[in-house]
Amino acid sequence: MARRLAAGAELIGWWALLTGLWIVLIGPVDTLEWAVGAGAALLAAAAACGARRATERR
């Protein structure tokens, strides 16, 4: 249970960081740009979590 909670917290942390970076770099953001950025950040966050877990198991 604790491992799943930690994995979820890591995913949310990456997502928040990447979404914030997207918002800062884009500048003035409308709703569609925010949604696209949040979706792209979620995919990138999942990839970052998977990459970290893959290197951790060695």
Side-chain angles (χ1 to χ4, degrees):
M1 177 77 173
R3 180 177 275 170
R4 293 183 81 185
L5 189 59
E10 179 187 7
L11 182 69
I12 291 171
W14 273 111
W15 175 80
L17 178 75
L18 293 170
T19 301
L21 183 63
W22 174 271
I23 299 301
V24 167
L25 292 177
I26 291 297
V29 181
D30 65 1
T31 305
L32 181 59
E33 289 172 336
W34 198 97
V36 169
L42 183 60
L43 291 174
C49 290
R52 189 193 57 79
R53 283 192 203 104
T55 59
E56 186 177 84
R57 291 184 181 152
R58 290 186 175 187

Short mmCIF file of all heavy atoms in Angstrom, two decimals:
data_model
loop_
_atom_site.label_atom_id
_atom_site.label_comp_id
_atom_site.label_asym_id
_atom_site.label_seq_id
_atom_site.Cartn_x
_atom_site.Cartn_y
_atom_site.Cartn_z
N MET A 1 0.82 -1.20 0.00
CA MET A 1 0.00 0.00 0.00
C MET A 1 0.86 1.26 0.00
O MET A 1 0.59 2.19 -0.74
CB MET A 1 -0.93 -0.03 1.22
CG MET A 1 -1.78 1.18 1.36
SD MET A 1 -3.13 1.12 0.21
CE MET A 1 -4.05 2.51 0.74
N ALA A 2 1.89 1.26 0.82
CA ALA A 2 2.75 2.43 0.91
C ALA A 2 3.51 2.65 -0.39
O ALA A 2 3.74 3.78 -0.80
CB ALA A 2 3.73 2.28 2.07
N ARG A 3 3.88 1.55 -1.05
CA ARG A 3 4.59 1.66 -2.33
C ARG A 3 3.71 2.29 -3.40
O ARG A 3 4.17 3.12 -4.18
CB ARG A 3 5.08 0.28 -2.76
CG ARG A 3 5.83 0.32 -4.07
CD ARG A 3 6.36 -1.04 -4.43
NE ARG A 3 7.64 -1.18 -3.75
CZ ARG A 3 8.30 -2.29 -3.67
NH1 ARG A 3 7.81 -3.40 -4.19
NH2 ARG A 3 9.47 -2.35 -3.07
N ARG A 4 2.44 1.90 -3.43
CA ARG A 4 1.52 2.47 -4.41
C ARG A 4 1.26 3.95 -4.13
O ARG A 4 1.16 4.76 -5.05
CB ARG A 4 0.21 1.70 -4.42
CG ARG A 4 0.37 0.28 -4.93
CD ARG A 4 -0.92 -0.42 -4.99
NE ARG A 4 -1.59 0.00 -6.21
CZ ARG A 4 -2.81 -0.38 -6.53
NH1 ARG A 4 -3.50 -1.13 -5.73
NH2 ARG A 4 -3.35 0.03 -7.65
N LEU A 5 1.17 4.29 -2.86
CA LEU A 5 0.97 5.68 -2.47
C LEU A 5 2.18 6.53 -2.87
O LEU A 5 2.03 7.64 -3.37
CB LEU A 5 0.71 5.77 -0.97
CG LEU A 5 0.27 7.13 -0.44
CD1 LEU A 5 -1.01 7.58 -1.10
CD2 LEU A 5 0.09 7.05 1.07
N ALA A 6 3.37 5.99 -2.66
CA ALA A 6 4.59 6.70 -3.04
C ALA A 6 4.69 6.86 -4.55
O ALA A 6 5.10 7.92 -5.05
CB ALA A 6 5.82 5.97 -2.51
N ALA A 7 4.29 5.84 -5.30
CA ALA A 7 4.31 5.92 -6.76
C ALA A 7 3.32 6.97 -7.25
O ALA A 7 3.61 7.73 -8.18
CB ALA A 7 4.00 4.56 -7.37
N GLY A 8 2.15 7.01 -6.64
CA GLY A 8 1.16 8.03 -7.01
C GLY A 8 1.62 9.43 -6.68
O GLY A 8 1.43 10.36 -7.47
N ALA A 9 2.26 9.59 -5.53
CA ALA A 9 2.79 10.90 -5.16
C ALA A 9 3.90 11.34 -6.11
O ALA A 9 3.99 12.52 -6.47
CB ALA A 9 3.30 10.87 -3.72
N GLU A 10 4.73 10.39 -6.52
CA GLU A 10 5.79 10.72 -7.48
C GLU A 10 5.20 11.16 -8.82
O GLU A 10 5.65 12.15 -9.40
CB GLU A 10 6.69 9.50 -7.69
CG GLU A 10 7.80 9.76 -8.68
CD GLU A 10 8.59 8.52 -9.04
OE1 GLU A 10 8.21 7.41 -8.62
OE2 GLU A 10 9.59 8.68 -9.75
N LEU A 11 4.19 10.44 -9.28
CA LEU A 11 3.55 10.80 -10.55
C LEU A 11 2.92 12.19 -10.46
O LEU A 11 3.09 13.01 -11.37
CB LEU A 11 2.48 9.76 -10.90
CG LEU A 11 1.77 9.99 -12.23
CD1 LEU A 11 2.72 9.76 -13.39
CD2 LEU A 11 0.57 9.09 -12.34
N ILE A 12 2.23 12.48 -9.38
CA ILE A 12 1.61 13.79 -9.21
C ILE A 12 2.67 14.89 -9.12
O ILE A 12 2.50 15.98 -9.68
CB ILE A 12 0.68 13.79 -7.97
CG1 ILE A 12 -0.53 12.91 -8.26
CG2 ILE A 12 0.25 15.20 -7.59
CD1 ILE A 12 -1.40 12.65 -7.06
N GLY A 13 3.76 14.59 -8.44
CA GLY A 13 4.84 15.58 -8.34
C GLY A 13 5.44 15.91 -9.70
O GLY A 13 5.64 17.08 -10.03
N TRP A 14 5.75 14.87 -10.47
CA TRP A 14 6.29 15.11 -11.82
C TRP A 14 5.28 15.87 -12.68
O TRP A 14 5.64 16.77 -13.42
CB TRP A 14 6.63 13.78 -12.50
CG TRP A 14 7.98 13.26 -12.21
CD1 TRP A 14 8.29 12.17 -11.48
CD2 TRP A 14 9.22 13.82 -12.65
NE1 TRP A 14 9.65 12.02 -11.44
CE2 TRP A 14 10.25 13.01 -12.16
CE3 TRP A 14 9.56 14.93 -13.43
CZ2 TRP A 14 11.58 13.27 -12.41
CZ3 TRP A 14 10.90 15.19 -13.67
CH2 TRP A 14 11.89 14.36 -13.17
N TRP A 15 4.00 15.47 -12.58
CA TRP A 15 2.97 16.11 -13.39
C TRP A 15 2.87 17.60 -13.04
O TRP A 15 2.81 18.45 -13.94
CB TRP A 15 1.62 15.43 -13.17
CG TRP A 15 0.51 16.14 -13.88
CD1 TRP A 15 0.20 16.05 -15.20
CD2 TRP A 15 -0.39 17.09 -13.32
NE1 TRP A 15 -0.86 16.88 -15.49
CE2 TRP A 15 -1.24 17.53 -14.35
CE3 TRP A 15 -0.57 17.59 -12.04
CZ2 TRP A 15 -2.25 18.45 -14.12
CZ3 TRP A 15 -1.57 18.51 -11.83
CH2 TRP A 15 -2.40 18.92 -12.87
N ALA A 16 2.86 17.92 -11.75
CA ALA A 16 2.75 19.32 -11.34
C ALA A 16 3.96 20.13 -11.80
O ALA A 16 3.81 21.25 -12.30
CB ALA A 16 2.61 19.40 -9.81
N LEU A 17 5.14 19.55 -11.65
CA LEU A 17 6.36 20.25 -12.08
C LEU A 17 6.36 20.50 -13.59
O LEU A 17 6.62 21.62 -14.04
CB LEU A 17 7.59 19.43 -11.69
CG LEU A 17 8.93 20.01 -12.12
CD1 LEU A 17 9.28 21.19 -11.22
CD2 LEU A 17 10.00 18.95 -12.07
N LEU A 18 6.02 19.48 -14.36
CA LEU A 18 6.04 19.63 -15.82
C LEU A 18 4.91 20.53 -16.32
O LEU A 18 5.10 21.29 -17.27
CB LEU A 18 5.97 18.25 -16.48
CG LEU A 18 7.21 17.38 -16.25
CD1 LEU A 18 6.96 15.96 -16.73
CD2 LEU A 18 8.42 17.98 -16.93
N THR A 19 3.75 20.46 -15.69
CA THR A 19 2.66 21.36 -16.08
C THR A 19 3.02 22.80 -15.77
O THR A 19 2.78 23.70 -16.57
CB THR A 19 1.35 20.97 -15.37
OG1 THR A 19 1.02 19.63 -15.71
CG2 THR A 19 0.21 21.88 -15.78
N GLY A 20 3.61 23.04 -14.60
CA GLY A 20 4.05 24.39 -14.25
C GLY A 20 5.09 24.92 -15.22
O GLY A 20 5.04 26.08 -15.63
N LEU A 21 6.02 24.06 -15.62
CA LEU A 21 7.03 24.47 -16.60
C LEU A 21 6.38 24.82 -17.93
O LEU A 21 6.75 25.81 -18.57
CB LEU A 21 8.05 23.35 -16.78
CG LEU A 21 9.21 23.62 -17.72
CD1 LEU A 21 10.06 24.78 -17.19
CD2 LEU A 21 10.05 22.37 -17.89
N TRP A 22 5.41 24.02 -18.35
CA TRP A 22 4.68 24.30 -19.59
C TRP A 22 4.00 25.67 -19.53
O TRP A 22 4.11 26.46 -20.45
CB TRP A 22 3.64 23.20 -19.82
CG TRP A 22 2.74 23.43 -20.99
CD1 TRP A 22 1.55 24.10 -20.98
CD2 TRP A 22 2.95 23.01 -22.33
NE1 TRP A 22 1.01 24.11 -22.22
CE2 TRP A 22 1.84 23.45 -23.09
CE3 TRP A 22 3.94 22.30 -22.97
CZ2 TRP A 22 1.73 23.18 -24.44
CZ3 TRP A 22 3.82 22.05 -24.31
CH2 TRP A 22 2.73 22.48 -25.03
N ILE A 23 3.32 25.94 -18.44
CA ILE A 23 2.59 27.20 -18.28
C ILE A 23 3.56 28.38 -18.31
O ILE A 23 3.30 29.41 -18.94
CB ILE A 23 1.77 27.19 -16.97
CG1 ILE A 23 0.74 26.07 -16.99
CG2 ILE A 23 1.12 28.54 -16.73
CD1 ILE A 23 -0.26 26.12 -18.10
N VAL A 24 4.70 28.24 -17.64
CA VAL A 24 5.68 29.33 -17.60
C VAL A 24 6.27 29.58 -18.98
O VAL A 24 6.44 30.74 -19.39
CB VAL A 24 6.79 29.00 -16.57
CG1 VAL A 24 7.98 29.93 -16.73
CG2 VAL A 24 6.24 29.08 -15.17
N LEU A 25 6.58 28.52 -19.71
CA LEU A 25 7.23 28.69 -21.01
C LEU A 25 6.27 29.17 -22.10
O LEU A 25 6.69 29.84 -23.04
CB LEU A 25 7.90 27.39 -21.44
CG LEU A 25 9.11 26.97 -20.59
CD1 LEU A 25 9.64 25.63 -21.06
CD2 LEU A 25 10.19 28.03 -20.63
N ILE A 26 5.01 28.80 -22.00
CA ILE A 26 4.04 29.20 -23.03
C ILE A 26 3.66 30.67 -22.89
O ILE A 26 3.48 31.37 -23.86
CB ILE A 26 2.79 28.30 -22.97
CG1 ILE A 26 3.15 26.91 -23.42
CG2 ILE A 26 1.66 28.84 -23.82
CD1 ILE A 26 3.61 26.79 -24.84
N GLY A 27 3.53 31.15 -21.67
CA GLY A 27 3.13 32.54 -21.46
C GLY A 27 1.64 32.63 -21.22
O GLY A 27 1.09 31.84 -20.47
N PRO A 28 0.97 33.55 -21.89
CA PRO A 28 -0.49 33.65 -21.71
C PRO A 28 -1.17 32.37 -22.22
O PRO A 28 -0.94 31.97 -23.36
CB PRO A 28 -0.91 34.84 -22.56
CG PRO A 28 0.33 35.46 -23.06
CD PRO A 28 1.47 34.55 -22.79
N VAL A 29 -1.95 31.73 -21.38
CA VAL A 29 -2.49 30.41 -21.69
C VAL A 29 -4.00 30.46 -21.69
O VAL A 29 -4.61 30.96 -20.75
CB VAL A 29 -2.00 29.39 -20.64
CG1 VAL A 29 -2.53 28.01 -20.96
CG2 VAL A 29 -0.49 29.38 -20.58
N ASP A 30 -4.61 29.92 -22.75
CA ASP A 30 -6.06 29.76 -22.74
C ASP A 30 -6.39 28.31 -22.32
O ASP A 30 -5.49 27.51 -22.06
CB ASP A 30 -6.69 30.13 -24.08
CG ASP A 30 -6.28 29.23 -25.22
OD1 ASP A 30 -5.52 28.28 -24.99
OD2 ASP A 30 -6.73 29.48 -26.36
N THR A 31 -7.63 27.97 -22.27
CA THR A 31 -8.06 26.68 -21.72
C THR A 31 -7.54 25.51 -22.54
O THR A 31 -7.09 24.51 -21.97
CB THR A 31 -9.61 26.64 -21.67
OG1 THR A 31 -10.06 27.76 -20.94
CG2 THR A 31 -10.08 25.37 -21.00
N LEU A 32 -7.59 25.58 -23.85
CA LEU A 32 -7.13 24.47 -24.68
C LEU A 32 -5.63 24.23 -24.52
O LEU A 32 -5.19 23.08 -24.42
CB LEU A 32 -7.46 24.74 -26.15
CG LEU A 32 -7.06 23.64 -27.13
CD1 LEU A 32 -7.75 22.34 -26.77
CD2 LEU A 32 -7.38 24.06 -28.55
N GLU A 33 -4.85 25.30 -24.48
CA GLU A 33 -3.41 25.14 -24.28
C GLU A 33 -3.11 24.52 -22.91
O GLU A 33 -2.19 23.72 -22.78
CB GLU A 33 -2.70 26.48 -24.41
CG GLU A 33 -2.65 26.99 -25.83
CD GLU A 33 -2.12 28.40 -25.92
OE1 GLU A 33 -2.19 29.13 -24.91
OE2 GLU A 33 -1.63 28.77 -26.98
N TRP A 34 -3.87 24.88 -21.89
CA TRP A 34 -3.67 24.33 -20.56
C TRP A 34 -3.98 22.83 -20.57
O TRP A 34 -3.24 22.04 -19.99
CB TRP A 34 -4.58 25.04 -19.56
CG TRP A 34 -4.14 24.85 -18.15
CD1 TRP A 34 -3.39 25.71 -17.42
CD2 TRP A 34 -4.40 23.73 -17.30
NE1 TRP A 34 -3.18 25.19 -16.16
CE2 TRP A 34 -3.78 23.97 -16.06
CE3 TRP A 34 -5.09 22.54 -17.46
CZ2 TRP A 34 -3.83 23.07 -15.00
CZ3 TRP A 34 -5.14 21.64 -16.40
CH2 TRP A 34 -4.52 21.92 -15.19
N ALA A 35 -5.06 22.45 -21.25
CA ALA A 35 -5.45 21.04 -21.30
C ALA A 35 -4.42 20.21 -22.06
O ALA A 35 -4.06 19.11 -21.63
CB ALA A 35 -6.82 20.91 -21.95
N VAL A 36 -3.93 20.73 -23.17
CA VAL A 36 -2.91 20.02 -23.94
C VAL A 36 -1.63 19.90 -23.14
O VAL A 36 -0.99 18.84 -23.10
CB VAL A 36 -2.67 20.72 -25.29
CG1 VAL A 36 -1.44 20.17 -25.99
CG2 VAL A 36 -3.89 20.59 -26.19
N GLY A 37 -1.24 20.96 -22.48
CA GLY A 37 -0.03 20.93 -21.65
C GLY A 37 -0.14 19.95 -20.49
O GLY A 37 0.79 19.22 -20.19
N ALA A 38 -1.31 19.91 -19.86
CA ALA A 38 -1.51 18.98 -18.75
C ALA A 38 -1.50 17.53 -19.23
O ALA A 38 -0.93 16.66 -18.57
CB ALA A 38 -2.84 19.29 -18.05
N GLY A 39 -2.06 17.29 -20.39
CA GLY A 39 -2.04 15.93 -20.96
C GLY A 39 -0.64 15.50 -21.34
O GLY A 39 -0.22 14.37 -21.06
N ALA A 40 0.10 16.39 -21.98
CA ALA A 40 1.48 16.08 -22.35
C ALA A 40 2.34 15.88 -21.11
O ALA A 40 3.21 15.00 -21.08
CB ALA A 40 2.04 17.19 -23.23
N ALA A 41 2.11 16.68 -20.09
CA ALA A 41 2.87 16.55 -18.85
C ALA A 41 2.55 15.22 -18.17
O ALA A 41 3.44 14.61 -17.57
CB ALA A 41 2.56 17.71 -17.91
N LEU A 42 1.32 14.76 -18.24
CA LEU A 42 0.96 13.47 -17.65
C LEU A 42 1.69 12.33 -18.35
O LEU A 42 2.21 11.42 -17.70
CB LEU A 42 -0.55 13.26 -17.69
CG LEU A 42 -1.07 11.99 -17.03
CD1 LEU A 42 -0.71 11.98 -15.55
CD2 LEU A 42 -2.57 11.88 -17.23
N LEU A 43 1.76 12.37 -19.67
CA LEU A 43 2.49 11.34 -20.41
C LEU A 43 3.98 11.38 -20.07
O LEU A 43 4.61 10.34 -19.87
CB LEU A 43 2.30 11.54 -21.92
CG LEU A 43 0.91 11.25 -22.46
CD1 LEU A 43 0.83 11.63 -23.93
CD2 LEU A 43 0.55 9.80 -22.25
N ALA A 44 4.54 12.57 -20.00
CA ALA A 44 5.96 12.70 -19.67
C ALA A 44 6.23 12.27 -18.23
O ALA A 44 7.27 11.66 -17.93
CB ALA A 44 6.41 14.14 -19.88
N ALA A 45 5.30 12.55 -17.32
CA ALA A 45 5.47 12.14 -15.92
C ALA A 45 5.44 10.62 -15.81
O ALA A 45 6.23 10.04 -15.06
CB ALA A 45 4.37 12.75 -15.06
N ALA A 46 4.56 9.97 -16.54
CA ALA A 46 4.50 8.51 -16.52
C ALA A 46 5.79 7.92 -17.08
O ALA A 46 6.32 6.94 -16.54
CB ALA A 46 3.30 8.01 -17.32
N ALA A 47 6.33 8.53 -18.13
CA ALA A 47 7.59 8.06 -18.70
C ALA A 47 8.74 8.27 -17.71
O ALA A 47 9.62 7.41 -17.57
CB ALA A 47 7.88 8.79 -20.00
N ALA A 48 8.75 9.39 -17.02
CA ALA A 48 9.81 9.66 -16.04
C ALA A 48 9.75 8.66 -14.88
O ALA A 48 10.79 8.16 -14.43
CB ALA A 48 9.69 11.09 -15.52
N CYS A 49 8.56 8.36 -14.41
CA CYS A 49 8.42 7.38 -13.32
C CYS A 49 8.86 6.00 -13.79
O CYS A 49 9.55 5.28 -13.06
CB CYS A 49 6.97 7.33 -12.84
SG CYS A 49 6.43 8.80 -11.97
N GLY A 50 8.46 5.62 -14.98
CA GLY A 50 8.86 4.32 -15.52
C GLY A 50 10.37 4.22 -15.72
O GLY A 50 10.98 3.18 -15.44
N ALA A 51 10.97 5.28 -16.20
CA ALA A 51 12.43 5.29 -16.41
C ALA A 51 13.16 5.19 -15.08
O ALA A 51 14.16 4.47 -14.96
CB ALA A 51 12.85 6.55 -17.16
N ARG A 52 12.68 5.86 -14.06
CA ARG A 52 13.33 5.80 -12.76
C ARG A 52 13.21 4.40 -12.17
O ARG A 52 14.15 3.84 -11.63
CB ARG A 52 12.73 6.81 -11.79
CG ARG A 52 13.55 6.91 -10.50
CD ARG A 52 12.83 7.65 -9.41
NE ARG A 52 11.55 7.09 -9.06
CZ ARG A 52 11.39 6.00 -8.28
NH1 ARG A 52 12.42 5.38 -7.80
NH2 ARG A 52 10.19 5.58 -8.00
N ARG A 53 12.05 3.80 -12.31
CA ARG A 53 11.87 2.44 -11.78
C ARG A 53 12.72 1.43 -12.54
O ARG A 53 13.22 0.47 -11.96
CB ARG A 53 10.40 2.04 -11.85
CG ARG A 53 9.59 2.66 -10.77
CD ARG A 53 8.21 2.04 -10.67
NE ARG A 53 7.35 3.00 -10.04
CZ ARG A 53 6.43 3.73 -10.67
NH1 ARG A 53 6.25 3.59 -11.96
NH2 ARG A 53 5.70 4.60 -10.02
N ALA A 54 12.88 1.63 -13.85
CA ALA A 54 13.70 0.71 -14.64
C ALA A 54 15.16 0.77 -14.23
O ALA A 54 15.84 -0.25 -14.19
CB ALA A 54 13.55 1.04 -16.12
N THR A 55 15.66 1.94 -13.91
CA THR A 55 17.06 2.06 -13.51
C THR A 55 17.25 1.63 -12.06
O THR A 55 18.35 1.24 -11.68
CB THR A 55 17.58 3.49 -13.68
OG1 THR A 55 16.80 4.39 -12.90
CG2 THR A 55 17.52 3.91 -15.13
N GLU A 56 16.21 1.69 -11.26
CA GLU A 56 16.31 1.33 -9.84
C GLU A 56 16.43 -0.18 -9.64
O GLU A 56 17.05 -0.63 -8.70
CB GLU A 56 15.06 1.84 -9.12
CG GLU A 56 15.09 1.66 -7.63
CD GLU A 56 13.86 2.27 -7.01
OE1 GLU A 56 12.82 1.56 -6.98
OE2 GLU A 56 13.90 3.43 -6.60
N ARG A 57 15.89 -0.98 -10.53
CA ARG A 57 15.87 -2.43 -10.36
C ARG A 57 17.18 -3.11 -10.70
O ARG A 57 17.31 -4.28 -10.55
CB ARG A 57 14.76 -3.01 -11.22
CG ARG A 57 13.40 -2.63 -10.70
CD ARG A 57 12.31 -3.28 -11.48
NE ARG A 57 11.02 -2.85 -10.94
CZ ARG A 57 9.94 -2.79 -11.66
NH1 ARG A 57 9.96 -3.11 -12.92
NH2 ARG A 57 8.81 -2.40 -11.10
N ARG A 58 18.15 -2.40 -11.19
CA ARG A 58 19.42 -3.02 -11.58
C ARG A 58 20.23 -3.40 -10.41
O ARG A 58 20.28 -2.99 -9.38
CB ARG A 58 20.21 -2.08 -12.47
CG ARG A 58 19.56 -1.96 -13.82
CD ARG A 58 20.42 -1.14 -14.71
NE ARG A 58 19.83 -1.14 -16.03
CZ ARG A 58 20.40 -0.63 -17.06
NH1 ARG A 58 21.55 -0.06 -16.97
NH2 ARG A 58 19.81 -0.67 -18.22
#
